[in-house]
Amino acid sequence: MKVIDEILESYPAKVMKSRKTHMLVKGEGCESGCKQKIEANTRTMPGVMTNRGCAYAGCKGVVLGPLKDMIHIVHGPIGCSYYAWGTRRNKGRINKDEQNFLNYAFSTDMQDPDVVFGGEKKLELAIKEAVEIFKPKAITISATCPVGLIGDDINAVADKAQKEYGIPVLAFSCEGYKGVSQSAGHHIANNKLMKDVIGKNKDANGDGFSINILGEYNIGGDGWEIGRILNKIGYKVLSIMTGDGTFEELTGAHKAKLNLVQCHRSINYIAEMLEKKYGTPWLKVNFIGVEATIRTLRDIALYFNDKDLTLKTEEIIKEEFESIKEDMANYKEMVQGKKACLFVGGSRSDHYQELLKDIGVSTILAGFEFAHRDDYEGRDIIPDIKIDADSRNIEELEVEKDEKNYTLYLTPEQYDELKTKIPLGNYEGLINLSEDGTVIVDDLNHFETEKFINALKPDLFASGIKDKYMIQKMGVFSKQLHSYDYSGPYAGFKGAVNFARDIAMGITSPTWKLVTPPWKVVKPLNGTVAVGGEV
Ligand code: CFM
């Protein structure tokens, strides 16, 4: 594709060589249906303006942060805390007498002397204070970069505090530099939750159509809309990992009969480990999109294979669909035929393609910030992924079969048969799910974003706060798909209408034609550039 060649040609040789492996056009040079390869989960080139976050963001910000009945202490300078504070992950509901600390930010507020002389004492005091004031059920400690650099032993502090206060105190060595992006932090959080939290409630009950929802973080209330639909059908949701989730629920999550995986990237480790340890299969689902939600609900019903449940599923699908049909059709009429680019973290660029399709908007570019090759190419390439030094940094937790709690809902034969019909234990990946001709880019940067916008002329560029305003100054509507621009929910049936409304409103706004970007108004500075030489 011309624009890709242009982008690559403007790079220095070394950058060009690397970036070349991170982009492709679906189906190009692959007409006979071959598998396309993309490089991912590697270091961003120094000097490139990436949208990625850090390992701490993935651990504390994404996976641990939404667990509302735990206190999450950040051991580090206050800036790191501010960055990972609740904001759009603070949607939690509680019943009377339950604990919710989502709106607090707990930090040790490390200062220069703590970096010089060590911060362990300060951390001990912070835990003491938190226990005395809030009496939480459990505490997490997340390490930020300086903690790892000076060598504070947060595990020792956590062990000591756990003995002293009699509650679980879990230390996460998720220093920002632990990986090439937030993805490393997801893995670190998954490992410890699996080791020290999930399965600890020996009296947990998994009767009925019990499920967990993994990789759903309740952004904009998505988890609530998903829960509403599932409860209506008759499922028993044991836990949500981790949106509006609790420590308490996680301890009994091992009893579920099926795990649904919404965001594959952030939680596939737990999904895999649960299957190995307890026999619970996982199913890749997508609640983003009307058609996607309907398909997902039917897939879940197929797994449980119960006559009444299947009938109820169809009844609810019909009822919900009827209630939104007209609104969806109206919005579709307003935006049909428009083109979108999607660039989000590690799963939404795939999920949102389906919702956009519902309203007639096609995706012409899709990319992830920090996904791995399996999120692009599908899980069957996992054995071919080369483990590099950066990935080796993070422990591959080995779990063993828990003989006492290991149960199979399906016989191995039933499992194999069903696997041919629904994505049981499988994720096909972004490339396979995209239409031919879609540009697929990993770790897109600002320079490339501008180039692609100029060449592809999308009507919508869905991304995040780091490039939203740069895009809008170019006269293109930009929708944040991380925070939803504080709108939502966008999941399920009712959420789809919210999304369609927001997109129709954005695309049809006359504003974009009126925008004159600052670089067209402000003249470049004139004058001779000093080049050195004689004075
Ligand atoms: Fe999963 Fe997420 Fe995402 Fe993600 Fe994120 Fe996120 Fe995201 Mo922002 S867990 S990968 S690390 S769906 S915070 S709720 S929106 S980049 S696409």
Side-chain angles (χ1 to χ4, degrees):
M1 190 182 259
K2 203 166 143 240
V3 54
I4 295 186
D5 295 340
E6 271 172 30
I7 287 172
L8 294 174
E9 273 160 24
S10 43
Y11 280 136
K14 207 173 154 195
V15 183
M16 181 218 251
K17 201 169 153 229
S18 161
R19 289 304 296 152
K20 199 175 172 180
T21 57
H22 291 263
M23 43 183 95
L24 56 85
V25 178
K26 162 85 189 276
E28 207 175 81
C30 217
E31 284 73 17
S32 50
C34 65
K35 281 217 140 211
Q36 287 178 290
K37 185 186 165 197
I38 192 161
E39 208 50 77
N41 191 32
T42 58
R43 292 184 190 190
T44 300
M45 302 293 289
V48 165
M49 292 261 281
T50 174
N51 276 14
R52 284 170 160 180
C54 65
Y56 156 77
C59 179
K60 195 276 168 188
V62 174
V63 181
L64 302 178
L67 293 167
K68 60 191 170 189
D69 59 348
M70 301 175 97
I71 281 188
H72 306 292
I73 298 179
V74 176
H75 188 30
I78 197 67
C80 305
S81 255
Y82 181 78
Y83 173 61
W85 194 4
T87 59
R88 69 211 157 80
R89 286 175 185 273
N90 59 359
K91 289 206 180 314
R93 283 183 192 144
I94 48 163
N95 294 319
K96 219 170 133 244
D97 303 330
E98 284 175 344
Q99 290 177 310
N100 177 12
F101 304 112
L102 282 186
N103 290 316
Y104 290 95
F106 298 91
S107 167
T108 53
D109 184 23
M110 244 183 170
Q111 303 286 331
D112 297 1
D114 306 316
V115 174
V116 176
F117 301 110
E120 290 175 13
K121 283 273 163 300
K122 212 170 182 188
L123 178 60
E124 280 176 15
L125 277 173
I127 299 171
K128 184 170 183 278
E129 209 180 325
V131 170
E132 283 173 1
I133 299 175
F134 295 102
K135 305 187 178 44
K137 284 192 200 89
I139 290 178
T140 70
I141 302 163
S142 293
T144 62
C145 294
V147 172
L149 295 175
I150 64 173
D152 272 0
D153 190 347
I154 59 167
N155 281 295
V157 175
D159 286 350
K160 200 174 143 208
Q162 180 153 324
K163 284 196 196 94
E164 200 167 334
Y165 306 115
I167 55 165
V169 180
L170 314 173
F172 295 79
S173 294
C174 57
E175 289 86 349
Y177 59 76
K178 274 284 166 69
V180 301
S181 69
Q182 49 269 67
S183 167
H186 300 147
H187 198 166
I188 293 166
N190 274 226
N191 283 352
K192 202 154 190 79
L193 290 179
M194 190 66 201
K195 223 195 287 185
D196 293 334
V197 183
I198 298 170
K200 294 294 171 200
N201 180 355
K202 302 286 174 240
D203 306 319
N205 177 346
D207 294 349
F209 303 119
S210 54
I211 52 177
N212 295 307
I213 310 173
L214 276 64
E216 169 45 55
Y217 301 93
N218 204 28
I219 306 297
D222 276 355
W224 292 333
E225 169 64 1
I226 297 170
R228 182 188 70 82
I229 301 165
L230 292 170
N231 287 329
K232 215 166 149 187
I233 294 176
Y235 292 107
K236 187 167 142 197
V237 181
L238 296 191
S239 78
I240 300 194
M241 299 185 202
T242 54
D244 192 21
T246 65
F247 171 80
E248 197 93 352
E249 287 164 0
L250 282 191
T251 59
H254 60 299
K255 285 291 181 186
K257 296 191 174 80
L258 176 67
N259 292 316
L260 311 182
V261 172
Q262 172 72 17
C263 167
H264 172 264
R265 181 64 266 137
S266 62
I267 209 132
N268 73 92
Y269 318 96
I270 286 182
E272 285 285 305
M273 288 189 274
L274 280 173
E275 180 155 17
K276 208 164 166 198
K277 191 165 177 187
Y278 302 108
T280 333
W282 62 269
L283 176 72
K284 178 69 187 74
V285 297
N286 184 14
F287 286 101
I288 302 293
V290 178
E291 289 303 318
T293 302
I294 293 175
R295 183 188 67 235
T296 289
L297 293 175
R298 288 186 175 143
D299 286 355
I300 308 171
L302 267 177
Y303 173 82
F304 283 103
N305 194 23
D306 176 272
K307 204 167 142 242
D308 292 340
L309 186 81
T310 308
L311 284 174
K312 191 77 185 158
T313 302
E314 290 306 324
E315 187 192 309
I316 301 296
I317 289 175
K318 191 155 177 273
E319 183 183 312
E320 292 284 332
F321 184 71
E322 288 297 322
S323 73
I324 60 156
K325 185 165 95 183
E326 206 177 310
D327 284 342
M328 289 301 280
N330 286 341
Y331 292 128
K332 185 173 180 176
E333 211 171 285
M334 294 166 76
V335 296
Q336 192 151 28
K338 301 287 184 193
K339 296 176 293 182
C341 296
L342 301 177
F343 181 59
V344 209
S347 74
R348 298 196 164 174
S349 306
D350 152 5
H351 296 153
Y352 275 85
Q353 289 200 37
E354 297 211 52
L355 181 46
L356 285 166
K357 216 181 275 170
D358 289 339
I359 49 171
V361 177
S362 57
T363 301
I364 49 174
L365 178 146
F368 290 139
E369 288 172 32
F370 51 75
H372 296 200
R373 276 186 59 202
D374 42 318
D375 304 295
Y376 289 102
E377 300 173 52
R379 280 189 70 90
D380 42 349
I381 56 110
I382 290 180
D384 303 338
I385 299 179
K386 271 195 240 102
I387 307 288
D388 61 8
D390 293 312
S391 315
R392 215 167 279 133
N393 249 338
I394 300 149
E395 184 195 5
E396 272 304 332
L397 187 61
E398 281 299 329
V399 292
E400 277 170 18
K401 191 166 167 182
D402 177 338
E403 296 292 353
K404 245 179 94 193
N405 290 297
Y406 193 90
T407 31
L408 292 178
Y409 185 74
L410 300 178
T411 63
E413 294 74 34
Q414 283 170 329
Y415 180 95
D416 287 342
E417 208 221 310
L418 197 56
K419 209 172 152 43
T420 61
K421 296 184 194 147
I422 61 175
L424 254 195
N426 192 27
Y427 176 45
E428 271 190 276
L430 178 70
I431 298 179
N432 295 317
L433 295 161
S434 299
E435 299 278 343
D436 275 357
T438 310
V439 182
I440 310 279
V441 196
D442 175 63
D443 191 16
L444 188 73
N445 57 55
H446 274 207
F447 166 70
E448 292 166 6
T449 303
E450 268 184 59
K451 287 279 186 193
F452 279 120
I453 289 177
N454 283 329
L456 304 177
K457 309 216 175 335
D459 304 286
L460 156 72
F461 198 111
S463 187
I465 192 67
K466 290 169 189 155
D467 45 17
K468 177 182 174 90
Y469 296 102
M470 178 270 270
I471 295 163
Q472 296 204 152
K473 281 175 189 170
M474 293 178 81
V476 176
F477 168 48
S478 179
K479 177 83 207 156
Q480 289 190 68
L481 278 192
H482 303 256
S483 68
Y484 297 169
D485 293 302
Y486 307 95
S487 180
Y490 287 160
F493 296 100
K494 295 198 165 140
V497 179
N498 290 338
F499 181 76
R501 179 203 59 217
D502 290 354
I503 293 303
M505 192 162 59
I507 288 185
T508 56
S509 164
T511 335
W512 315 117
K513 290 189 207 81
L514 307 173
V515 175
T516 312
W519 54 89
K520 290 208 171 143
V521 184
V522 183
K523 289 213 166 60
L525 294 176
N526 286 324
T528 333
V529 177
V531 288
E534 279 177 33
V535 188

